[in-house]
Amino acid sequence: MSTELPPEVVRRAAELRKQIEYHNRRYYQFDEPVIADAEYDALLRELQALEREYPELQTPDSPTQRVGAAPLAAFAEVRHEVPMLSLDNAFEDGDVLDFDRRIREKLERDDTEYLAEPKLDGLAVSLLYEDGVLVRGATRGDGHSGEDVTHNVRTIRAIPLRLSGSGYPQRFEVRGEVFMPKTGFEAMNRKALEAGEKVFVNPRNAAAGSLRQLDPAATAARPLAFYCYGYGVYPAEALPATQYELMERFRNWGLPINPEIRQIRGAQGCLDYYRDLMARRHGLPYEIDGVVYKLGRFDWQAEMGYVARAPRWAVAHKFPAEEATTRVLAIEVQVGRTGALTPVARLESVFVGGVTVTNATLHNADEVRRKDIRINDWVVVRRAGDVIPEVVKSIPERRPADAAEFVMPAHCPACGSEVELEEGEAIARCSGGLYCPAQHKEAIKHFASRRAMDIEGLGDKLVDQLLERRLVDTVADLYRLTVEQLAELERMGIKSAENLVAALEKSKATTLPRFLYALGIREVGEVTARNLALHLHGLDSIIAADEDALQAIPDVGPTMAAHIAAFFRQPHNLEVIRDLRAVGLHWQETEAGPAGAQLLAGKTFVLTGTLESLTRDQAKEKLQALGAKVSGSVSKKTSYVVAGTEAGSKLAKAQELGVEILDESGLLALLGNGEI
Ligand code: IVH
């Protein structure tokens, strides 16, 4: 018996499918959703309800049918009618020049044009469409036969179950890459970690593991995406002239195309594209391991042909690997300004992330233990973008018999003083203070640094020499250096010696917060230095303040108060301060910053959104210089919220609490004369 389908129900179901497919395309193809996730879900639920009520309405290409199939026992084999090829790799610019030259020679022409696109780090699939409906999805396998993963690719929302538009061949294959965007990968691993489950090492493994699930419901729960980059089975007479035109057609049929695809000219175009993408690589929402260049015209591609399993008309230009394995030759200990001892791995030199790496910080003894890194171990080293190289993990499977555990020394390697490990702190410290040559050197570098006394031209190497030749002991000695003394040092001439003496002279006129910060008191950063200057009026009252008085200052807790008081109890420190004043360092005692100090004392600001004429950090610095406090979150105590463009939840919160809101011009007026 068949129920009569009411025409309005048929109409509504068709309309819902069309809308859902449209929103899928907005989301996955254009990255520009026009409705909220909840609205999308409501459309889907309405369609599901209709299909439940009228099962005849259900079709395999309905968006409700993404997780349709029951778990499989095993994957079926799919033989590829057109093999799925791989790509040759280029690692250096020269390889790309060779690639382009071979093409120009064979085609006997000089105007080569390419399609360039990111090389996604996922896995290749082939999607078969018949009459516009997705009928099969297969992995690449060995290129000739792969696995039937139809039930799983159907769960990927970026992949249309039915094509839109018209003019597509009756039967054809789309090829592309299934991948996991970075945010999805991170969220998935966070959840796995919370549930005590295994995490994936990278998005590529996560994508591959997700697609090869026997239960489609498991794949559906994974945040997978897809971009097309080519074709398999395709009627020759229906192909357009170029790779780019084919991609445009795909796009019109609702298939997602990478927005970074570009048409470029010649080898130079390839290299420019490569450099641009490499610089932006970490900002892309997915992992890429290089770029791919494909000769643009299909007739040219046919002329170039294939060699073994790769086309002669395409090449993958790989980025330098960001991870490499190497050996730990030794674990040494570095002493910082405050005496903190940092274990550093000395590595067998290895080329990673585009540079040769020989050292990597191991942060502290806990970290060495947690990562189980031993001397002589093989380790994975990572250098991504411009960040400092780090040891990711050891490879215990390759551990040699002579591998030795790292032990934090009991005595400082620089001065022999005892090493202390404070209760509840992961950090070991040298107890030698300024007697320790390593701490001494770091203290001088800090004193001279830009945000402290800002002595231009006093770099690392110079400080080394000054200490080695005993020209300087305390920071006050810096101000007694003469042009003659300095001119004799390595890599110094009369001119640079004169410049340095002038820079030292200039630095004598400073502010109290800068001076306090330059002293390098433990835990005293710029904000605390400013607060001390603001609340205790003058260096002598700061020196005289006891721990209670110090704790009365905003943001100063018991530990910091103890460090500050201890610093000023040390006769040696007081002597250096006296000496610095004697050689001419001066500041205005009651001034907490540049002109107009304290006009905003007691006011709390929150900055949100983008400002046009200055950065948020600059605005913060200026506000603090006027005595204001700058906080990260809005509360009833907030005096003003400064809202730039695209201000978000903080602005909303300010409105909700009735906190006064300033725009950029209001802020500038305030910074200019302390009034709005
Ligand atoms: S084109 C004949 N384009 O790289 C051309 N491949 O090393 C075949 N891949 O198996 C591939 N992004 O999984 C092409 N934009 C892209 C790609 C890409 C990633 C993968 C693909 C292929 C492998 C070849």
Side-chain angles (χ1 to χ4, degrees), residues 586-602:
H586 59 279
W587 54 83
Q588 216 168 317
E589 288 279 18
T590 52
E591 193 182 79
Q598 299 186 45
L599 280 169
L600 299 176

Side-chain angles (χ1 to χ4, degrees), residues 44-90:
L44 200 63
R45 270 200 309 276
E46 188 185 341
L47 183 60
Q48 276 164 342
L50 280 182
E51 290 181 356
R52 246 193 326 273
E53 201 176 333
Y54 303 98
E56 302 91 318
L57 273 178
Q58 258 183 36
T59 53
D61 64 334
S62 169
T64 59
Q65 298 304 299
R66 288 202 175 263
V67 190
L72 295 176
F75 296 107
E77 189 192 79
V78 172
R79 286 204 69 77
H80 298 302
E81 285 169 55
V82 175
M84 288 183 79
L85 301 170
S86 70
L87 291 169
D88 270 345
N89 289 327

Side-chain angles (χ1 to χ4, degrees), residues 85-87 117-120 123-124 140 177 229 292 294 311 313:
L85 301 170
S86 70
L87 291 169
E117 57 193 288
K119 184 167 194 293
L120 294 159
L123 78 163
R140 174 165 179 268
E177 197 88 346
Y229 53 64
V292 183
K294 297 169 187 168
W313 47 261

Side-chain angles (χ1 to χ4, degrees), residues 503-514:
L504 280 158
E505 196 54 39
K506 185 170 154 219
S507 77
K508 286 182 183 171
T510 186
T511 66
L512 184 52
R514 271 184 182 271

